[in-house]
Amino acid sequence: MDFAVARKRMVEAQLVKRGITDQRVIGAMLNIPRHIFVEEAMSAQAYSDGSLPIGEKQTISQPFMVAKMTEMLELTGREKVLELGTGSGYQAAVLATLADRVYTVERIRPLALKARKALDSLGLLNVNLRIADGTEGWPEEAPFDAILVTAGAPEVPQCLVDQLAIGGRLVIPVGDRTDQRLVRVVRNPDGSVVGDVSLDCRFVRLIGKHGWSEEP
């Protein structure tokens, strides 16, 4: 399979035609080899229009959703970004090519180790990864210019809002256990926050102290 051709088709059909306009986001997803972030047996499906299982009851997000959430962060290349829910590491790789530094948290150790290996194989040395409860953020490294949450939460955790820098953007899926909507929160210069809602989405649950419990 010609993965470069598959990536180009993915970008054109799934991103550009659906309204993704940020050229930096488009460029990142055109260059990052998504297939190395899935099991080898599923590499031929890596550029398909949908999420894929990555083990541990987790998924790698649909390419369009990765692009949309990244675009909502409005990254310029100078930011310090926090990602909660490393998963496969693909979203962290996208962020790493668009920001100065990335801090990513994964609660499931086997996934974190696989993600670290994939990120290292691409030479993305500006990604810091820790195994912990992502719903608590990474307070000792705050504030962050942007925070991206890749799992669905029942509400926007206040502790994450508190870790935003002035002018910082937080993008998070919020809703029930199966269906959510993307929410973007921006911290104003006076410390107040404003939020707006984007499209419907469906993510795995955000498990942890400030998210869902592990019970079904």
Side-chain angles (χ1 to χ4, degrees), residues 73-90:
L73 293 178
E74 299 180 348
L75 301 175
T76 65
R78 300 184 296 271
E79 293 86 0
K80 181 180 182 181
V81 180
L82 172 65
E83 179 200 26
L84 305 179
T86 313
S88 69
Y90 178 67

Side-chain angles (χ1 to χ4, degrees), residues 8-28:
K8 184 176 181 181
R9 289 173 178 167
M10 175 193 77
V11 167
E12 292 175 348
Q14 299 176 40
L15 309 188
V16 176
K17 288 188 177 179
R18 290 181 183 168
I20 300 299
T21 59
D22 188 320
Q23 292 301 308
R24 297 183 71 244
V25 173
I26 290 170

Side-chain angles (χ1 to χ4, degrees), residues 81-191:
V81 180
L82 172 65
E83 179 200 26
L84 305 179
T86 313
S88 69
Y90 178 67
Q91 176 72 78
V94 173
L95 295 172
T97 64
L98 299 172
D100 182 41
R101 287 172 290 164
V102 176
Y103 293 79
T104 182
V105 185
E106 173 56 55
R107 68 183 181 88
I108 303 173
R109 184 177 182 83
L111 292 183
L113 296 178
K114 287 181 181 179
R116 180 77 270 174
K117 183 177 180 180
L119 291 165
D120 288 348
S121 74
L122 296 178
L124 296 173
L125 304 181
N126 60 333
V127 179
N128 300 277
L129 190 157
R130 79 187 307 185
I131 301 169
D133 178 0
T135 69
E136 298 191 88
W138 201 323
E140 58 268 39
E141 290 293 345
F144 296 96
D145 302 300
I147 299 176
L148 182 63
V149 182
T150 63
E155 59 186 8
V156 178
Q158 183 60 44
C159 67
L160 299 185
V161 176
D162 293 341
Q163 291 177 43
L164 278 177
I166 297 300
R169 289 83 63 197
L170 162 64
V171 174
I172 179 172
V174 176
D176 60 29
R177 292 171 182 264
T178 56
D179 297 286
Q180 306 91 33
R181 300 202 77 187
L182 284 184
V183 174
R184 188 176 87 147
V185 173
V186 180
R187 191 163 195 176
N188 291 323
D190 62 2

Side-chain angles (χ1 to χ4, degrees), residues 1-11 30 32-35 43-48:
M1 183 175 180
D2 190 328
F3 291 117
V5 171
R7 277 197 301 280
K8 184 176 181 181
R9 289 173 178 167
M10 175 193 77
V11 167
L30 188 61
I32 294 172
R34 182 177 163 91
H35 60 278
S43 60
Q45 303 176 53
Y47 301 97
S48 61

Side-chain angles (χ1 to χ4, degrees), residues 175-180 201-205 212:
D176 60 29
R177 292 171 182 264
T178 56
D179 297 286
Q180 306 91 33
C201 55
R202 180 173 291 182
F203 282 80
V204 297
R205 290 175 296 145
W212 296 101

